[in-house]
Amino acid sequence: MHVHADSTLSVQSLFRACLKKDGVAVPGSERVGHNVMTNFGAEWLAELIVWQTIGVSDVPFTNRRVRWIGVGDDSHALVTESIQTLKSAVTIDGTLYLATVDDSLSTPTGPEFVSPVWVRFARTFDYGEISHSGDVVIKEAGLYADYREGGVYGLYPTNPLNPVIAYKAFDGLLKSSAFTLELEWSFKF
Amino acid sequence: MLFRDDIHVQSNVFLCMRERGKLVPGSTREGHNVFTNTGRNLLSKLIAWKTLGSTDLAFTEKRLRWMGMGSGTQLEVANVSQLNSPVLITPSRYLVEIQSTEHPTSTTARIICIFGVSDITFSQGVVELSEVGAYADVNPADSAGDEDSAAPGFTTALDPSIGTNAPSAYKAFEPINKTADYTIEVRWDFRIV
């Protein structure tokens, strides 16, 4: 007889958003909770873990990895895994709808490994980002998998309709040029 | 309402022996298995970029690439670090390459490995098998350089000639007796739900 344990790997994903002023959290601005991994995200993960062909030189199905975060000023009424894009993406700087998860304002920069099986992505939007043309109420966020090779992206950062791998809707946060917006997305395998 | 607020990776192993293509009665084994800490570590590294730039740099390029079998057994828990009693597949290798990959659904990855009549039982006789592991790796030919060098806990390419490699997924099962008359077919599904 064999004893079976841990037969299903449950990946805990957690989202956190917070406004800050001069580095101090704005009271009442923290949003924390689970989120939804979209069907597109599940398909991406199923392709990521295996080789398409194994031979003289192995070929992957996909080389996309978590690369971008985007936010929107509306949210889907029904949050399900069939969500494909943000409902109403807003630009970060007037042109780009996607911001890298690796930026100098995040602490620490780039992905952080809380433990060997726990990875956290973070992005801090600066005072002038998102609210570059005035105040914006942020109600949704999405995570994107992509690559950059030879300067070329797979997704189109100037397009508001890129497919999200994970999605979170939350009570609105008023992003003005007086605040920074800190987003964190973690996955514990 | 229910939605996918946590991600689940359900893995399931099916294996059987065949004699000239026909299923050997009583040789089918099927069931869930365990994703080891090595596998969990792999997943956390695999989804992230190490650095972003003109050409992004990954923490790891490893993906499921090998299978190995053994004649021992152990508790199916996350800290399984090697097969309990690995057996040689060929006279010099404990691991063989996965032959093919399928996606039976868009969110399921299936790796398939067929152990031939002379695999494992290359010295004739009978070999009792009761455990199997799936291993993530890069192509050994591509492993030169700094592959995984900045990822603690990772080594470079695995060495198929040793039996102590760490599997990403592990399954123990009721023993089957492999002879040179039989092939073994292993199908391993990873379903993201």
Side-chain angles (χ1 to χ4, degrees):
Chain A
M1 174 184 168
H2 300 284
V3 178
H4 303 281
D6 304 331
S7 61
T8 295
L9 172 60
S10 294
V11 186
Q12 297 165 18
S13 61
L14 192 66
F15 173 86
R16 178 181 169 274
C18 179
L19 291 172
K20 287 193 174 178
K21 182 169 183 152
D22 299 328
V24 179
V26 176
S29 73
E30 189 176 54
R31 305 287 184 271
V32 180
H34 292 297
N35 59 97
V36 60
M37 184 177 215
T38 65
N39 289 331
F40 183 78
E43 291 169 13
W44 161 71
L45 197 53
E47 290 191 345
L48 186 65
I49 61 175
V50 292
W51 292 105
Q52 183 175 28
T53 58
I54 293 172
V56 175
S57 185
D58 298 349
V59 178
F61 276 102
T62 180
N63 202 27
R64 294 177 192 266
R65 292 166 166 81
V66 174
R67 196 181 199 286
W68 308 102
I69 280 181
V71 293
D73 61 2
D74 200 354
S75 61
H76 293 281
L78 201 58
V79 178
T80 70
E81 51 264 37
S82 61
I83 285 173
Q84 295 179 323
T85 66
L86 292 183
K87 184 172 183 191
S88 178
V90 298
T91 64
I92 312 303
D93 60 356
T95 304
L96 302 176
Y97 290 90
L98 302 179
T100 61
V101 292
D102 178 21
D103 73 318
S104 58
L105 293 172
S106 297
T107 304
T109 57
E112 175 195 7
F113 286 91
V114 183
S115 80
V117 298
W118 186 355
V119 60
R120 182 161 60 198
F121 303 96
R123 168 77 192 204
T124 299
F125 294 96
D126 204 358
Y127 295 102
E129 291 185 313
I130 301 173
S131 48
H132 48 83
S133 302
D135 296 354
V136 181
V137 178
I138 300 300
K139 295 181 177 178
E140 62 179 349
L143 200 62
Y144 301 82
D146 197 11
Y147 60 86
R148 191 182 192 200
E149 194 168 324
V152 179
Y153 302 115
L155 299 180
Y156 299 94
T158 55
N159 181 349
L161 300 176
N162 289 295
V164 292
I165 60 165
Y167 178 84
K168 176 67 179 174
F170 49 87
D171 290 338
L173 284 173
L174 182 66
K175 171 72 173 75
S176 74
S177 57
F179 305 125
T180 61
L181 172 62
E182 193 175 287
L183 298 185
E184 289 179 9
W185 223 306
S186 66
F187 297 90
K188 187 178 180 184
F189 291 90
Chain B
M1 69 170 295
L2 291 175
F3 60 89
R4 189 187 288 132
D5 60 346
D6 273 345
I7 310 153
H8 300 284
V9 184
Q10 293 181 348
S11 51
N12 200 58
V13 177
F14 169 89
L15 68 88
C16 69
M17 288 197 296
R18 294 184 186 275
E19 183 173 17
R20 291 188 293 276
K22 291 185 178 177
L23 185 69
V24 176
S27 71
T28 298
R29 302 288 183 273
E30 190 168 13
H32 293 300
N33 60 99
V34 64
F35 230 91
T36 66
N37 288 332
T38 299
R40 292 165 192 236
N41 186 221
L42 168 78
L43 289 174
S44 70
K45 296 286 192 303
L46 196 55
I47 67 169
W49 289 109
K50 181 180 165 193
T51 58
L52 303 179
S54 179
T55 295
D56 297 338
L57 180 64
F59 279 104
T60 182
E61 293 289 352
K62 289 182 178 180
R63 292 162 168 84
L64 293 169
R65 192 179 196 282
W66 308 98
M67 278 195 203
M69 299 195 80
S71 57
T73 189
Q74 59 191 309
L75 204 60
E76 290 181 5
V77 292
N79 62 1
V80 167
S81 60
Q82 63 178 78
L83 295 184
N84 180 267
S85 182
V87 298
L88 281 164
I89 311 300
T90 69
S92 60
R93 286 185 151 204
Y94 287 93
L95 302 178
V96 290
E97 280 111 343
I98 292 159
Q99 273 99 350
S100 64
T101 306
E102 296 176 352
H103 287 96
T105 71
S106 62
T107 59
T108 302
R110 172 179 291 164
I111 54 176
I112 300 171
C113 199
I114 312 285
F115 296 87
V117 289
S118 59
D119 287 340
I120 300 171
T121 45
F122 49 84
S123 301
Q124 301 298 314
V126 178
V127 177
E128 185 181 90
L129 299 170
S130 51
E131 58 182 345
V132 61
Y135 300 77
D137 203 1
V138 293
N139 190 313
D142 295 337
S143 65
D146 62 351
E147 182 71 38
D148 297 330
S149 60
F154 268 96
T155 59
T156 54
L158 301 183
D159 183 355
S161 67
I162 62 172
T164 55
N165 293 296
S168 293
Y170 175 83
K171 172 70 181 168
F173 52 87
E174 296 297 327
I176 55 174
N177 291 318
K178 164 90 166 67
T179 73
D181 293 326
Y182 303 143
T183 62
I184 298 179
E185 176 183 322
V186 182
R187 298 199 302 257
W188 211 312
D189 288 354
F190 299 90
R191 182 166 166 247
I192 317 297
V193 294

